[in-house]
Amino acid sequence: MIRTLLISATVVAMAGTAIVAQETHPLSPVGTASIHVLGNYVKPAGAAGWGTYQGGKWIDLTYGRPLKRGRNLWGSGATYGKSLLAGAPIWRAGADTSTRLKTEVPLLINGKTVPPGEYTIFIDIKENNWTFVVSAWAAQQKYDAGNQTALWGAYGYTPDKDVVRAPMKLETLPHSVEQLTWAFLDVSDAGASLTISWDTVQASVPIKTGN
């Protein structure tokens, strides 16, 4: 009887641990995509390895990374994108707090210069037609319904603070990406392709770097 009680207590304790572990695992973990450009490797004479990268400028994109979890993400026709918007006027292109772009270098996007600073990023999603949006709206780090000067996700977004809009290139992948992923592809000092992938959809926008 004592042994049975001990086993039962152990099972309950293990179950409790599993529940706690599940509750503390974020549904949409925070991710960051980064590039370091316009610098140079400096290697002292006789030193091994790559040396140090000096004088570079950082470009960082921080976002929530939701998983597909078997869902039909996009829909079609009149329902296209509606489940992702969840009542917002535009897609946050991530989860939870707004997707943010921080750049230490001027960026040229769709012919317009985006000065160094921090911005929010959105995508206006329509079937076969996605538009990349850089906005001057600030991002709330925790939801505050009374804060009218910053956004939680894309709720309350208005286009009057748009810095630039750019058409995105849409591609169909030969595989499915489970967790939403932003990445910088084809990186050089001249720029990169800023790319979002989720499910079998990949969308990208070219960015150029200035000095």
Side-chain angles (χ1 to χ4, degrees), residues 51-181:
T52 58
Y53 191 71
Q54 298 181 3
K57 300 291 186 180
W58 285 98
I59 305 172
D60 300 301
L61 190 141
T62 305
Y63 63 108
R65 301 192 65 195
L67 283 79
K68 180 183 175 184
R69 293 188 172 91
R71 293 175 292 174
N72 178 357
L73 297 177
W74 314 109
S76 62
T79 66
Y80 186 84
K82 297 299 183 183
S83 60
L84 294 176
L85 297 180
I90 200 168
W91 187 31
R92 75 187 79 186
D96 301 325
T97 189
S98 309
T99 297
R100 282 101 62 212
L101 175 70
K102 184 177 181 180
T103 177
E104 295 180 341
V105 63
L107 302 177
L108 186 65
I109 302 174
N110 199 25
K112 186 168 183 179
T113 299
V114 178
E118 182 167 333
Y119 303 90
T120 43
I121 298 298
F122 305 96
I123 300 178
D124 187 0
I125 51 173
K126 294 179 175 61
E127 197 162 15
N128 302 316
N129 183 11
W130 287 22
T131 302
F132 180 78
V133 180
V134 179
S135 172
W137 272 105
Q140 294 184 27
Q141 298 305 304
K142 292 185 178 181
Y143 176 68
D144 179 1
N147 185 351
Q148 302 299 309
T149 63
L151 304 182
W152 173 256
Y155 297 103
Y157 162 87
T158 53
D160 55 294
K161 294 181 184 293
D162 287 359
V163 177
V164 63
R165 285 180 164 242
M168 302 187 80
K169 178 183 178 182
L170 283 168
E171 301 175 77
T172 300
L173 299 171
H175 55 267
S176 176
V177 176
E178 175 66 14
Q179 189 172 27
L180 185 148
T181 301

